[in-house]
């Protein structure tokens, strides 16, 4: 009976969606990319009033409260025991690791700089996913991957005066741990809706994030301002939960390959927000490097295999 139910559940995925449905799915995925592109500027705003540990912990708690409320309201059953290990990887990478490492990096790095480095995230995810699944991309894929990595390393070394800074190490670490979380989350999304994957991962972190938030709020000074509160609310509700809902719904509608193409615009959008919202000075090399990385990643997405 279970086998029949599983087979039946996969049938709609294979049926081509009508043009109007695909258009709406593209719009949803695009909204997710816009939400993600605001993460770094919102984090910079949040750091104006919160310490790094407070911002990450409170962000995760607020997002978990929202996610838990949705799971309870919809009476979603607990995931099977076999999925909890994968959810722990998602929690470690997407809920805790990436926000913490990027927040620490943004204490000394501009959002424009961080956006270019993290612009390699789709490529890093593709590489780890290839290792995880055993797929063999074409030579074109690997050539573009190496070119993109070289562009990012050249940019970071040039901006840091010939050596990698601590912020760059944080950002590269964030790439790896988030890519691992995305890869495992993508695998779990085949067994449950994507929003439930991030929802349960957020809830799973509550026993850790609640006490950390309590300690961090007493240890780090808090200065509530319009910017800091807005930044906190956005990274909690927008980046870590609502953005992922429309992103996964868009992926389900138009497919992962087409949705991933939209995410290639994320670094350039973040560069725009860093100038428009934060008034940062944008060096000419930053957008040029971002465009080079996007071109390289676009080639990998279109390459055979």
């Amino acid at each position: 009976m279970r086998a029949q139910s599983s087979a039946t559940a996969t049938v709609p995925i294979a049926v081509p969606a009508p043009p109007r449905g695909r258009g709406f799915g593209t719009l949803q995925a695009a909204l997710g990319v816009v939400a993600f592109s605001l993460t770094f500027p919102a984090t910079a705003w949040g750091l104006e009033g919160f310490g790094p540990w407070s911002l990450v912990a409170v962000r995760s708690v607020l997002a978990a409260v929202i996610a838990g409320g949705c799971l309870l309201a919809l009476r979603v059953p607990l995931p099977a025991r076999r999925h909890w290990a994968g959810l722990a990887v998602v929690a470690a990478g997407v809920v805790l690791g990436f926000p913490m490492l990027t927040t620490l990096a943004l204490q000394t790095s501009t959002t424009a700089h961080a956006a270019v480095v993290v612009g390699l995230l789709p490529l890093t995810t593709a590489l780890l996913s290839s290792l995880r699944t055993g797929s063999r991309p074409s030579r074109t894929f690997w050539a573009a991957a190496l070119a993109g990595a070289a562009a990012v390393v050249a940019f970071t070394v040039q901006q840091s005066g010939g050596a990698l800074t601590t912020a760059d190490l944080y950002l590269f670490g964030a790439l790896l741990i988030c890519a691992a979380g995305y890869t495992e989350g993508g695998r779990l999304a085949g067994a449950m809706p994507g929003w439930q994957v991030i929802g349960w991962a957020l809830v799973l972190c509550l026993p850790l994030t609640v006490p950390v938030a309590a300690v961090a709020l007493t240890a780090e000074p808090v200065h509530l301002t319009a910017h800091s509160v807005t930044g906190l609310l956005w990274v909690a509700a927008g980046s870590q939960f609502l953005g992922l809902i429309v992103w996964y719904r868009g992926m389900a509608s138009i497919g992962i390959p087409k949705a991933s193409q939209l995410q290639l615009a994320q670094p350039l959008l973040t560069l725009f927000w860093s100038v428009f919202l934060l008034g940062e000075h944008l060096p000419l090399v930053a957008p040029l490097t971002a465009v080079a990385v996007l071109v390289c990643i676009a080639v990998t997405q279109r390459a055979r295999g």
Side-chain angles (χ1 to χ4, degrees), residues 68-261:
C70 292
L71 291 169
L72 286 174
L74 297 176
R75 298 182 179 180
V76 178
L78 289 173
R81 287 186 61 182
R82 66 180 183 276
H83 297 322
W84 283 106
L87 289 171
V89 174
V90 176
V94 179
V95 178
L96 299 176
F98 184 78
M100 188 70 254
L101 290 173
T102 53
T103 299
L104 291 173
L106 286 173
Q107 288 188 294
T108 57
S109 173
T110 65
T111 58
H113 179 94
V116 176
V117 178
V118 178
L120 203 58
L121 178 58
L123 177 59
T124 308
T125 304
L127 293 173
L128 288 186
S129 178
S130 174
L131 294 174
R132 180 77 166 85
T133 61
S135 61
R136 295 183 178 180
S138 64
R139 292 181 178 178
T140 302
F141 176 95
W142 293 116
L146 291 174
V152 170
V153 171
F155 170 79
T156 54
V157 171
Q158 188 272 335
Q159 289 293 295
S160 58
L164 294 177
T165 65
T166 301
D168 293 324
L169 296 178
Y170 284 142
L171 292 170
F172 283 119
L175 287 177
L176 294 175
I177 195 170
C178 187
Y182 277 176
T183 299
E184 193 63 22
R187 185 187 69 82
L188 288 173
M192 66 180 76
W195 76 269
Q196 292 182 22
V197 173
I198 188 62
W200 287 117
L202 286 164
V203 172
L204 181 64
C205 291
L206 276 176
L208 176 63
T209 55
V210 169
V212 170
V215 173
L217 287 173
T218 58
E220 296 177 335
V222 175
H223 303 287
L224 296 181
T225 63
H227 275 183
S228 63
V229 173
T230 301
L232 171 63
L233 293 178
W234 181 259
V235 293
S239 301
Q240 193 132 35
F241 189 63
L242 297 178
L244 285 168
I245 290 179
V246 293
W247 172 245
Y248 281 124
R249 286 177 65 89
M251 290 175 66
S253 178
I254 66 176
I256 294 175
K258 288 189 176 181
S260 65
Q261 293 294 318

Side-chain angles (χ1 to χ4, degrees), residues 229-296:
V229 173
T230 301
L232 171 63
L233 293 178
W234 181 259
V235 293
S239 301
Q240 193 132 35
F241 189 63
L242 297 178
L244 285 168
I245 290 179
V246 293
W247 172 245
Y248 281 124
R249 286 177 65 89
M251 290 175 66
S253 178
I254 66 176
I256 294 175
K258 288 189 176 181
S260 65
Q261 293 294 318
L262 296 175
Q263 197 172 23
L264 300 181
Q266 186 173 325
L268 292 180
L269 286 173
T270 300
L271 292 176
F272 169 77
W273 296 127
S274 70
V275 175
F276 182 74
L277 296 177
L278 305 177
E280 291 185 356
H281 172 69
L282 192 64
L284 179 61
V285 69
L288 292 178
T289 304
V291 170
V293 170
L294 294 182
V295 170
C296 292

